[in-house]
């Protein structure tokens, strides 16, 4: 993904792209903040946003996040720390993608407060998770068809 080679996306970053596309959210020219830098979610989703001409800021979960989150047009939380991102940090009208996975089905974003400010927000559970499974299945079918036709 970092090299811009065509192929399959990591499933969760691919799901995030599909969700943005489904809701006509174009990251071109947008400020995207990615909280988390894992090799299977944070880093790849940032690369995919860069490929769509967004300005991407990666944030470590232990930094002061309020300023970066408050300036973001799109926030992607992928840390695995319950309600790390406070709702009042969200810029009014921002798009919030919560890809956090925490015990008790709690996301990385303080959902109720963030939903009051965000234009769009993914719930936990029921947002990115089901979309990830759909991408996995879709890419599996595509890979099988490609292998059959080669």
């Amino acid at each position: 993904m970092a090299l811009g080679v065509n192929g399959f996306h990591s499933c969760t970053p691919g799901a995030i792209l599909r969700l943005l596309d489904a809701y006509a959210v174009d990251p071109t020219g947008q400020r995207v903040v990615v909280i988390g830098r894992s090799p299977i979610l944070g880093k790849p989703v940032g690369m995919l946003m860069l490929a769509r001409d967004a300005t991407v800021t990666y944030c470590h979960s232990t930094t002061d996040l309020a300023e970066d989150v408050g300036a973001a047009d799109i926030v992607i939380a992928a840390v695995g720390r319950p309600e790390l991102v406070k709702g009042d940090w969200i810029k009014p009208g921002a798009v919030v993608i919560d890809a956090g996975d925490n015990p008790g089905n709690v996301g990385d974003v303080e959902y109720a407060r963030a939903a009051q400010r965000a234009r769009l927000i993914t719930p936990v559970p029921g947002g990115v998770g089901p979309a990830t499974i759909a991408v996995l299945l879709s890419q599996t079918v595509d890979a099988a068809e490609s292998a059959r036709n080669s």
Side-chain angles (χ1 to χ4, degrees):
M1 283 178 275
L3 299 174
V5 177
N6 287 331
F8 296 115
H9 296 144
S10 296
C11 290
T12 302
I16 290 169
L17 285 183
R18 289 190 187 192
L19 286 168
L20 292 174
D21 290 346
Y23 288 92
V25 176
D26 181 3
T28 301
Q30 301 293 302
R31 294 186 61 163
V32 176
V33 166
V34 178
I35 306 163
R37 54 200 169 100
S38 74
I40 62 169
L41 206 168
K43 288 178 182 175
V45 79
M47 291 292 128
L48 292 169
M49 292 295 107
L50 282 171
R52 290 192 174 193
D53 299 322
T55 298
V56 178
T57 302
Y58 287 97
C59 296
H60 190 280
S61 62
T62 61
T63 62
D64 181 13
L65 297 169
E67 184 176 337
D68 287 319
V69 170
D73 302 303
I74 301 171
V75 176
I76 302 172
V79 182
R81 291 188 43 201
E83 297 187 339
L84 172 70
V85 178
K86 304 305 175 198
D88 59 353
W89 297 351
I90 303 299
K91 175 181 171 180
V95 172
V96 179
I97 306 290
D98 190 344
D101 180 25
N102 302 290
N105 287 325
V106 177
D108 288 351
V109 177
E110 196 176 55
Y111 183 85
R113 290 178 68 195
Q116 294 173 354
R117 300 173 66 93
R119 174 169 62 100
L120 296 168
I121 185 170
T122 59
V124 174
V128 174
T132 297
I133 294 166
V135 168
L136 173 62
L137 294 171
S138 174
Q139 290 186 158
T140 300
V141 170
D142 291 346
E145 288 176 348
S146 178
R148 185 184 66 191
N149 294 331
S150 340

